[in-house]
Amino acid sequence: MNYLSFVFMGLLYFPKMLKGKKIDVIIVFAPSPITQVIPAILLKWLKRAHLAVWVQDLWPESLSATGFVQKNWMLKLVGYMVRGIYKCCDTLLLQSHAFFEPTKKYAPAEKMVYFPNSMDATGSSIVDQTIPAALRAELESNFSVVFAGNVGTAQSVESIVEAASILKNEPGLKIFIVGSGSMLSWVAEQKAIHHLDNLVLPGRFSMSAMPEIFQRSAALLVALKDEEIFSYTVPSKIQAYLAAGRPIIGALRGEGARVISEAGAGLVCAPESGQALAETILTMKKCSSTDREKMGSSGINYFNENYDMDLQSDRLIDILTARLNRR
């Protein structure tokens, strides 16, 4: 109902909001669901504008991988819908190189352009006293591994809990899951059942608090399920982790793992394996502080070369200008 209400309200109100205004380009930032593009298609026709969709998620593959849709006939219907939506788009901005091959099933290659996620690193400076004193003290007094963001089915939180169980007797090491999501209550139950005092669930914080949490962490953790669809994507938190200048532990395959390794910004292990994750966390802990600082510095350098907001904004202008001129 939430997805459908956005489509309905968009079709009803967006044309009124833009009445009398000349529009050159319409850009849709498109994580799930892809249906959010539908109101933009109407605007494209009304305004005779160029429609660019920044594809963050592969449909219908992501529906199947997360288990929300499992019946083949439904997935085929979603596939037809995706093909129709992409047909109405002029440019598909793909956040990962690996997105090209699966997207070719639904759209011609000439519509596709690689355009990764970016972030404004100027907002990454530390503002002290933005997190509770108790949390600050706990982060600083331990080798703190922080997972931040959505705590959902795609994030393989089961392997994080398993790793915490394996490491529960490791002195001075704690894993923090900062955020919220559909799996958070399950994680809390497992923490209580297995008496995982080394697993900390501080809750959700504003974006302004994240730089302080990151900087007081020993390492930052990103994890995904071991599904082919997730090997195509680069989770946006990787850019945030790189910009933070802290070493990264990646329990994932594919593009996300490639970025971490190529940047020299951390260690990578197999996804959905609590044992592999626990061993990698211990390996990171045994690294010298100098080695971990080098990983963090390499991450910042890689971010500045590939994901800086100013750099990416200029490139987006170039891409859209070239496409408008070609039209």
Side-chain angles (χ1 to χ4, degrees), residues 7 30 56 69 79 87 92 112 114 117 123 159 167 199 223 237 246 260 295 307:
V7 174
Q56 300 291 312
V69 177
K87 186 175 182 179
L92 297 174
M112 304 176 202
Y114 171 63
N117 289 318
S159 63
L167 297 170
L199 183 60
K237 72 175 64 179
R246 307 305 297 152
I260 296 170
M295 292 179 191
Y307 304 121

Side-chain angles (χ1 to χ4, degrees), residues 184-194 201:
L184 185 60
S185 59
W186 178 86
V187 174
E189 288 175 4
Q190 296 302 306
K191 171 180 166 66
I193 291 171
H194 300 289
L201 307 176

Side-chain angles (χ1 to χ4, degrees), residues 67 96 130 207 249 258 310:
S96 166
T130 57
M207 287 299 295
I249 296 173
R258 179 192 66 79
D310 290 337

Side-chain angles (χ1 to χ4, degrees), residues 16 54-55 110 124 142 147-148 204 237 249 271 276 294 327:
K16 297 178 182 178
W54 194 359
V55 181
E110 57 266 23
S124 298
N142 293 280
F147 172 96
R204 185 174 179 175
K237 72 175 64 179
I249 296 173
K294 286 181 180 177
R327 183 182 68 172

